[in-house]
């Protein structure tokens, strides 16, 4: 397997190698998504700056949707493109889809499943910790601190654990508690689903939870070293993605892209009848 230059600086910044057909397709689709975003902004009466911002937003959502789906279900390439389409649907219908939370969740999943084939650097963990706390305050979603803590705890507990990740977990939990105390927010105040979107989201998340339980083997290999990914780490990454969506169910705009990604994975499973005829490994 190739060793990419980016791994000198980060263990979770996987590159888009155009040697792979799926990666090349995403690289070609990103400019198209950007153009679509710019046209939409122009149609809505936006100026040049707004058109550029919308172009960047659409391109990021397209890539983030595909990349997160690949991490949550590394053995199912077609499902990632279904998730990509679902993510773009969110971009077209939502005025302010959450983007930062998608990429922070992507990073948290990667430190758990180690899809790069490398353990997380301390700088990777520190950056994700800071960004997780930023998300807590930017979206008023304190439970995202628990999601980040879960990712660090899993990386510090599963195969070949990094024990220092427990410190980052405690810091994330600390950020969550500080926010909740400062804003008088408690678990009982977070509410339950009360819209059609929220209940549909819960349905897809339940299906995805079942997929986590049924996942027994993983064929995909890490970028560096070519070793097969550990199934428990992959399942742990899936759990992090599930919890990232669940924690924001009371504020669907923030987690709409993550829910769309999981919905795409579930739709992909339905097409291949994964629950009745398991894929041959």
């Amino acid at each position: 397997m190739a060793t990419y230059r980016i791994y000198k600086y980060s263990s979770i910044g996987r590159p888009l190698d155009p040697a792979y057909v799926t990666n090349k397709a995403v690289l070609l689709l990103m400019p198209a998504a950007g153009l679509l975003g710019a046209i939409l902004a122009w149609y809505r009466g936006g100026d040049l700056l707004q058109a550029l911002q919308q172009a960047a937003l659409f391109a990021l959502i397209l890539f983030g949707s595909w990349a997160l789906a690949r991490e949550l279900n590394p053995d199912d390439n077609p499902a990632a493109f279904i998730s990509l389409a679902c993510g773009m649907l969110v971009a077209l219908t939502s005025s302010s889809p959450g983007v930062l939370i998608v990429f922070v969740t992507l990073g948290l999943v990667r430190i758990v499943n180690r899809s790069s084939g490398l353990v997380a650097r301390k700088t990777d963990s520190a950056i994700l910790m800071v960004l997780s706390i930023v998300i807590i305050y930017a979206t008023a979603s304190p439970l995202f601190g628990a999601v980040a803590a879960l990712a660090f705890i899993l990386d510090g507990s599963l195969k070949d654990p990094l024990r220092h990740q427990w410190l980052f977990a405690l810091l994330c939990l600390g950020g969550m508690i500080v926010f909740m105390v400062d804003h008088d927010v408690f678990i009982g105040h977070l509410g339950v689903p009360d819209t059609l979107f929220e209940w549909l989201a819960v349905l897809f998340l339940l299906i995805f939870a079942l997929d986590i339980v049924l996942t027994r083997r993983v064929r995909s290999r890490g970028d560096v070293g070519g070793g097969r990914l550990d199934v428990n780490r992959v399942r742990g990454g899936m759990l992090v993605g599930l919890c990232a969506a669940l924690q924001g169910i009371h504020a669907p705009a923030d987690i709409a892209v993550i829910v769309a990604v999981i919905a795409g994975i579930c739709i992909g499973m339905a097409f291949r009848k994964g629950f009745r005829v398991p894929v041959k490994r």
Side-chain angles (χ1 to χ4, degrees):
M1 302 294 289
T3 301
Y4 301 101
R5 183 177 301 177
I6 193 172
Y7 291 138
K8 294 181 180 179
Y9 312 102
S10 171
S11 298
I12 60 175
R14 301 179 70 189
L16 267 177
D17 187 346
Y20 296 94
V21 174
T22 53
N23 291 0
K24 185 180 294 185
V26 172
L27 287 171
L28 292 173
L29 287 171
M30 286 178 67
L35 179 60
L36 175 62
I39 293 173
L40 183 61
W42 173 79
Y43 178 76
R44 291 173 176 172
D47 56 23
L48 177 59
L49 178 59
Q50 290 172 323
L52 292 175
Q53 291 174 338
Q54 196 79 343
L57 177 67
F58 271 52
L60 287 172
I61 290 177
L62 182 142
F63 172 73
S65 299
W66 174 82
L68 182 58
R70 290 288 293 115
E71 298 297 333
L72 293 177
N73 196 359
D75 283 351
D76 197 345
N77 284 326
F81 285 91
I82 300 175
S83 293
L84 179 154
C86 292
M88 291 308 300
L89 181 61
V90 170
L92 287 168
T93 57
S94 175
S95 59
S96 57
V99 175
L100 179 60
I101 192 172
V102 173
F103 283 91
V104 174
T105 300
L106 175 64
L108 292 172
V109 172
R110 282 180 177 175
I111 69 170
V112 177
N113 67 17
R114 296 184 181 175
S115 55
S116 67
L118 302 171
V119 300
R121 294 173 178 262
K122 290 181 181 179
T123 50
D124 294 326
S125 298
I127 291 171
L128 287 172
M129 178 202 69
V130 171
L131 291 176
S132 296
I133 295 174
V134 168
I135 287 173
I136 291 174
Y137 282 85
T139 64
S141 299
L143 289 182
F144 194 80
V147 175
L150 173 64
F152 289 123
I153 289 171
L154 288 172
D155 193 34
S157 306
L158 296 174
K159 184 179 179 181
D160 300 324
L162 295 178
R163 298 302 183 191
H164 64 259
Q165 298 289 47
W166 285 79
L167 174 61
F168 291 108
L170 289 174
L171 291 172
C172 289
L173 289 175
M176 177 186 74
I177 293 171
V178 168
F179 178 91
M180 295 179 75
V181 171
D182 284 347
H183 294 78
D184 293 325
V185 176
F186 300 97
I187 300 299
H189 296 168
L190 298 179
V192 295
D194 61 0
T195 67
L196 177 60
F197 173 85
E198 291 174 19
W199 282 113
L200 286 174
V202 170
L203 174 62
F204 281 119
L205 295 179
L206 287 173
I207 296 172
F208 187 64
L210 180 59
D211 188 42
I212 296 174
V213 174
L214 294 179
T215 298
R216 290 289 182 266
R217 297 179 63 188
V218 178
R219 295 174 299 169
S220 298
R221 299 180 179 274
D223 297 337
V224 177
R228 182 170 293 183
L229 301 185
D230 178 68
V231 63
N232 288 325
R233 282 193 165 275
V234 171
R235 293 172 70 188
M238 295 169 75
L239 179 61
V240 170
L242 174 68
C243 292
L246 279 173
Q247 63 82 34
I249 205 69
H250 65 290
D254 296 327
I255 49 91
V257 176
I258 298 177
V259 171
V261 168
I262 291 175
I265 293 172
C266 295
I267 293 170
M269 290 189 296
F271 275 123
R272 65 175 172 80
K273 301 179 181 180
F275 288 116
R276 290 182 293 172
V277 185
V279 175
K280 294 182 179 180
R281 305 298 189 187

